Amino acid sequence: MHVLTPAMDLIRFAALLSVPAAYVLGVLSFAQLLVVAVVAATADIAFRAAHGAFLKWLVPPEELVAANARLESATWTATIAGPPLGGAVAGLLGPVATLAADAISYLLSAVGLRAVGGREPRPGAPDREPPKTAAPAEAATPARESRVPRMRAADLADGWRYVLADPVLRPLFLNTVPVNSLIMATAPLMSVLMLDDLGFAPWQYGLAFALPCVGGLIGARLAQPLVARFGRRAVLVGSGIVRVCWPVGLVFVGPGTAGLVLVVAVQLALVTSIGVFNPVSAAFRLDRTPPERVARVLTAWTVTGKAAVAAATAAAGLLAGATDTRTAVAVAGLLLLATPLPLLCLRDARTPAEEREQGRDQPRSAVRSGRP
């Protein structure tokens, strides 16, 4: 997996860099853009699976929430800074320059991942050693490195089967997929509603959705202390419920300053809740999944999520065309209110290792209490 993560970055680097190169040579075509989009999306799915597996190997279980919270903070920081910087670069140098800069970011990511160092054990190896810098005497001995896995259709199906059969991962899966797809489906609807129907200026629209990203940083910083105080299940269920209560408020957005303030307030509450939920959910998903199944589970999860976002966005667009934009936003918001139901079935949030430990302790407690 340590090999696969920078490899996927290099693939995305080459794919995106081909666009400005073709533009400079005057051979850029729509077909190339489609191929680049497919290659980049496929590499993104593989990267997410390998990244999760590598993170599980790299970070001790008790630090997974903190590690994912830091990653969540980095994501929201990029979300805050990326669009303004991208807009500035596009305005000064043109949109092709932004693609070149994006491509270079993947190259820098690949270099950074390779700089992490360390060697992963082959699947099934008993020992888990953290990455370390090899001593000069060890450098002469070639370290064993895990082979790059090949994801087959059967492995993807196995990932789905494992998730749907697991009593803890299943409700988490059935919650996160529809929540993410419905939230993403409202993004183009809000663009039409604010820019076209309500007449907001583009800078006002950008401000309404960029400023609340600060809430993601706040939520990510709160995730670890909340888990330490209330436990994983309480934070997962609580933040999972809270995060879906806000989008229905976008139905009431109107023109002018009051409407802008309403969008900022709703988005701030939504993003802060997401900032708490995401790192706890990601950490628990890694902790719950056995190492040999992490890549398959994360691939199945990501593929389903991307397909659901595409389907929900298309359905929302059709509904908006048949009725109006505000009605489609309202339907998405109301559907979101029903998504916490699977989380209420999350009766426990123990990992398999904790369950096995509980099973070993049960006979001893029964003997002490005198029960047969």
Side-chain angles (χ1 to χ4, degrees):
M1 294 301 173
H2 191 191
V3 177
L4 190 58
T5 41
M8 293 303 102
D9 276 335
L10 292 176
I11 288 174
R12 289 184 286 187
F13 163 70
L16 289 177
L17 194 62
S18 71
V19 175
Y23 177 81
V24 170
L25 296 174
V27 295
L28 182 63
S29 65
F30 182 70
Q32 180 183 349
L33 294 177
L34 288 177
V35 171
V36 168
V38 171
V39 170
T42 303
D44 181 67
I45 292 173
F47 178 88
R48 289 174 183 271
H51 175 268
F54 182 52
L55 184 65
K56 181 180 176 69
W57 170 80
L58 183 66
V59 178
E62 64 274 11
E63 296 181 12
L64 278 174
V65 172
N68 279 280
R70 294 188 185 102
L71 292 173
E72 187 77 6
S73 297
T75 299
W76 288 112
T77 301
T79 305
I80 296 171
L85 290 176
V89 172
L92 292 173
L93 304 176
V96 176
T98 62
L99 280 175
D102 194 15
I104 293 173
S105 72
Y106 288 116
L107 178 62
L108 295 176
S109 174
V111 172
L113 286 169
R114 291 303 299 172
V116 171
R119 299 295 192 208
E120 293 171 277
R122 291 183 182 274
D127 296 327
R128 176 188 181 279
E129 296 182 1
K132 59 184 180 180
T133 305
E138 298 171 340
T141 304
R144 293 196 307 168
E145 189 168 355
S146 57
R147 291 166 291 183
V148 176
R150 293 179 297 174
M151 183 62 63
R152 301 165 297 181
D155 296 323
L156 188 60
D158 181 69
W160 278 316
R161 282 194 299 269
Y162 185 84
V163 170
L164 295 176
D166 189 273
V168 179
L169 290 179
R170 181 175 60 249
L172 196 61
F173 178 76
L174 295 178
N175 169 259
T176 56
V177 170
V179 168
N180 292 340
S181 59
L182 287 169
I183 289 176
M184 294 300 296
T186 60
L189 297 177
M190 290 304 299
S191 299
V192 175
L193 180 62
M194 293 183 67
L195 296 173
D196 189 14
D197 298 348
L198 299 177
F200 283 99
W203 71 265
Q204 292 175 312
Y205 173 80
L207 179 66
F209 287 91
L211 186 61
C213 292
V214 176
L217 298 175
I218 297 172
R221 292 294 299 270
L222 291 175
Q224 177 70 10
L226 288 174
V227 169
R229 181 176 179 83
F230 299 106
R232 259 185 317 219
R233 182 187 180 278
V235 175
L236 279 174
V237 175
S239 60
I241 293 174
V242 170
R243 83 192 198 281
V244 302
C245 296
W246 311 107
V248 70
L250 295 173
V251 175
F252 305 103
V253 62
T257 303
L260 186 63
V261 171
L262 175 62
V263 175
V264 171
V266 168
Q267 288 296 117
L268 179 62
L270 171 65
V271 171
T272 303
S273 306
I274 291 174
V276 173
F277 180 87
N278 280 357
V280 181
S281 172
F284 179 68
R285 184 176 57 186
L286 288 177
D287 208 8
R288 177 79 189 179
T289 308
E292 67 275 9
R293 291 184 181 269
V294 170
R296 280 172 282 183
V297 165
L298 293 184
T299 300
W301 206 297
T302 304
V303 168
T304 306
K306 288 183 177 295
V309 168
T313 303
L318 291 174
L319 180 59
T323 56
D324 58 68
T325 307
R326 198 179 293 271
T327 299
V329 172
V331 170
L334 291 174
L335 289 175
L336 276 169
L337 296 177
T339 55
L341 292 176
L343 282 181
L344 299 179
C345 300
L346 190 63
R347 302 299 182 188
D348 198 358
R350 290 177 298 172
T351 65
E354 291 169 337
E355 289 178 347
R356 289 193 296 270
E357 184 65 26
Q358 180 71 18
R360 285 194 295 267
D361 291 343
Q362 187 64 35
R364 292 195 295 271
S365 62
V367 169
R368 286 195 299 268
S369 62
R371 296 193 303 268

